[in-house]
Amino acid sequence: MNKDSLVVGLALFAMFFGAGNLIFPPFLGMESGFEWPLGLACFVFVDVVISCIGVYAINAAGGSILSIQGVLGKRAGLVLNSAAILCTGVLIAPPRTAATTYEMAIAPLLGDAIGLLPFSLLFFAVVLALTIRPTRIVDIVGKILTPVLVVGIIIMVVSGIADPLGPVVAPESATVVADGISAGYQTMDILAVVGFAIIVQESVRAAGYQSARDQLSVTARASLVACILLTLIYGGLTYLGATAATVVPHDVNQATLITLITEQLMGPVGLIVLGVVVGFACLTTAVGLCGATAEYVERISNRRISYRAGLISVVVIALLICNLGLTNIINMAAPILSVICPPFMITVILLLFRKHIKSTWTFKGAALAAVVASLMLTVNDLTGALSFVEAAPLYEYGFSWLIPALLGAAAGAALGSKFDQPRQPAGE
C-alpha cells in the first residue's frame, strides 16, 4: 500500500462518509439488537462494498459519466443518470441535509425556539448564496470538518465500547436483513459512484500515474482503504445503536437517536460539538449537490436552462420537501431508492466484466429487468397488491430483483448475438 493509494483512499472515504450517513447505522443497530452484525453486513455490502467496487469498475470502463450511457445507450443512460441526479441533488439528499441539521444541531440546543420552516429558509438562502458565487470557504470548511467529525465519532465509539449504554437485547425488527439493505439504499452512495469515480481518476492522474494499468492499481487499493475505514466506522455506530435500545425512546427518528447517544456518552459539550460539525458538514454537502445538479441541468438542456435558473429551481424544490420533516423525507425516499438503486447496482457490477460482454443488450436487459422487478416489489411493499412476488427467491433478503436482472442480462445477450454488432469495450 503506497502513500498515493492511502491519500486517495482517505479522500474517497471522506466523499462517501457524509453527515447524512451518520444517522442510519445507529438506527439499524437499535432495531437489530443482538443481530446487529447481520444488519451491518447487509448495510456494508449494499452501501460500501458495491459502491467501492463501482468506483473501480467505472474507472476501468473509462471513468466518465458516459460509462453508463456507453453500455445502456444514450437515452437509457440519460434516464438512469438523471434519476440519480434528481435523488442526490434535488428530491432527497439536499432536503435531508437541511432536515438533519435541524434535528441534530437546532432542535436539541434551541428546542422549539426556531421552527423548521424559518430554519430551512435560512439554510437554503445560505446554500443559494454560496452556490451562485462559489467560494473557497466551502472547500476549506469541508476539508476541516470531515476529519473533526470522524475523530469525534471514533472517540464516541471507543467510549461506547468501554462503557456500553446498556445491554444488547433481542431485535425489535423481524426483517433485519431487509432493514440493512434498505439503509444501504438510503445513503445513496451507489448513485454517486460515477461522480466519485471521475474525481478519483483525476486525483490519481494528478499524482503522476499515466498508464491505465497503474491508475487502476492505485484506484483498487484506494477503494480498499475507503471500504475498510467505512466498515469500521459504520460497525462502531451500529454497535452503539444496539447498546442504546434499552435507554432511549423507541419512537425517535434517526437523527434524534444519534444525538441522544452522543449526549449520553459525551455530555452537553459533545452534543454542541456534534451539532456544529454536522450542521456545517450538511451545509457544504448541500452546496456541492445543488451546484452539481444545476450544472447537470444546464448541460443536458444545451444551456436552454441556465445554471442560475436551474439552481434556483433546485433550491426551491429542496426547501419545500425539507419542510415535510426528516422522518417523512426518509419514508418518501425508501420506495424511490428501492426502484432506482437496483438497475444502478447491476449495471455497475456488470461493468466489471465488460471485456467479456459482447453486446450492450446484456446491460440493457439486466437494467430493464431490475427496474421492472424492483418496481413490482416496491408496489407490493406499499400496497400489498402483488403478493405473488413474495414467493420469489431471495425475497426475504431484499434481493429478489437480482435473479430477474440476471435473466434479463441473459435474454439481452441472446438478443444481442442476433441483432446487434459486437460492443467495443470502453476506452478502446
Side-chain angles (χ1 to χ4, degrees):
M1 183 69 67
N2 61 25
K3 178 182 176 182
D4 293 324
S5 299
L6 182 61
V7 170
V8 176
L10 290 172
L12 182 59
F13 162 78
M15 285 187 284
F16 276 127
F17 187 74
N21 296 29
L22 178 67
I23 67 177
F24 295 109
F27 196 81
L28 176 64
M30 183 181 71
E31 291 190 321
S32 301
F34 56 65
E35 291 186 359
W36 69 267
L38 177 60
L40 171 67
C42 297
F43 175 82
V44 166
F45 177 73
V46 171
D47 176 47
V48 180
V49 175
I50 293 182
S51 296
C52 289
I53 288 175
V55 170
Y56 174 85
I58 288 173
N59 273 334
S64 165
I65 195 169
L66 297 178
S67 58
I68 299 293
Q69 293 187 16
V71 294
L72 293 183
K74 184 175 181 179
R75 291 183 180 179
L78 179 63
V79 169
L80 196 56
N81 281 328
S82 297
I85 288 290
L86 283 174
C87 288
T88 57
V90 185
L91 300 177
I92 300 173
R96 196 174 70 190
T97 59
T100 298
T101 302
Y102 179 79
E103 295 283 354
M104 296 185 68
I106 304 301
L109 302 178
L110 302 178
D112 297 330
I114 299 178
L116 178 57
L117 177 59
F119 168 76
S120 61
L121 287 168
L122 175 62
F123 182 94
F124 283 108
V126 174
V127 169
L128 185 62
L130 291 177
T131 313
I132 283 183
R133 297 183 181 277
T135 63
R136 287 276 298 163
I137 190 171
V138 174
D139 292 333
I140 293 171
V141 170
K143 290 177 182 178
I144 292 173
L145 287 175
T146 295
V148 172
L149 180 61
V150 171
V151 169
I153 291 169
I154 292 172
I155 293 172
M156 186 166 62
V157 168
V158 171
S159 300
I161 294 174
D163 186 18
L165 292 173
V168 179
V169 295
E172 296 179 9
S173 172
T175 57
V176 171
V177 170
D179 293 343
I181 292 170
S182 178
Y185 289 160
Q186 286 277 5
T187 65
M188 295 185 289
D189 286 338
I190 186 62
L191 302 182
V193 294
V194 174
F196 290 171
I198 294 170
I199 295 172
V200 167
Q201 186 182 57
E202 291 175 350
S203 299
V204 172
R205 285 175 177 169
Y209 297 89
Q210 300 302 319
S211 73
R213 183 173 181 176
D214 289 342
Q215 290 173 10
L216 288 177
S217 177
V218 174
T219 299
R221 293 195 295 269
S223 297
L224 181 61
V225 169
C227 185
I228 292 171
L229 291 176
L230 287 166
T231 300
L232 291 174
I233 292 290
Y234 289 148
L237 289 170
T238 306
Y239 172 75
L240 290 183
T243 64
T246 60
V247 298
V248 299
H250 288 191
D251 59 348
V252 297
N253 63 25
Q254 287 85 346
T256 302
L257 174 62
I258 189 65
T259 58
L260 291 175
I261 291 174
T262 303
E263 189 173 26
Q264 291 276 348
L265 290 173
M266 304 177 71
V269 173
L271 191 61
I272 292 172
V273 172
L274 179 70
V276 172
V277 171
V278 167
F280 278 103
C282 283
L283 179 64
T284 55
T285 298
V287 167
L289 291 174
C290 291
T293 303
E295 290 175 359
Y296 180 80
V297 170
E298 183 181 45
R299 185 169 67 250
I300 65 171
S301 68
N302 293 321
R303 299 188 180 275
R304 287 191 293 269
I305 301 175
S306 69
Y307 171 82
R308 183 181 293 261
L311 177 63
I312 292 173
S313 299
V314 166
V315 168
V316 170
I317 294 170
L319 169 65
L320 294 174
I321 295 174
C322 169
N323 281 274
L324 296 174
L326 181 61
T327 299
N328 288 328
I329 292 171
I330 291 173
N331 291 338
M332 176 191 74
I336 297 173
L337 296 174
S338 293
V339 173
I340 294 174
C341 288
F344 239 94
M345 292 169 67
I346 194 66
T347 302
V348 164
I349 291 170
L350 290 178
L351 277 173
L352 283 173
F353 308 100
R354 77 201 185 286
K355 291 183 179 179
H356 306 287
I357 297 175
K358 298 179 180 180
S359 171
T360 58
W361 281 99
T362 304
F363 294 91
K364 294 174 182 177
L368 178 60
V371 169
V372 173
S374 58
L375 184 60
M376 293 172 65
L377 291 164
T378 302
V379 169
N380 183 64
D381 289 341
L382 294 175
T383 68
L386 303 176
S387 58
F388 63 89
V389 301
E390 297 175 16
L394 304 179
Y395 177 81
E396 63 271 27
Y397 301 112
F399 268 102
S400 51
W401 57 266
L402 180 58
I403 291 178
L406 295 177
L407 292 174
L415 284 173
S417 66
K418 292 186 176 181
F419 302 113
D420 203 5
Q421 294 295 322
R423 185 184 69 83
Q424 294 297 321
E428 292 188 3

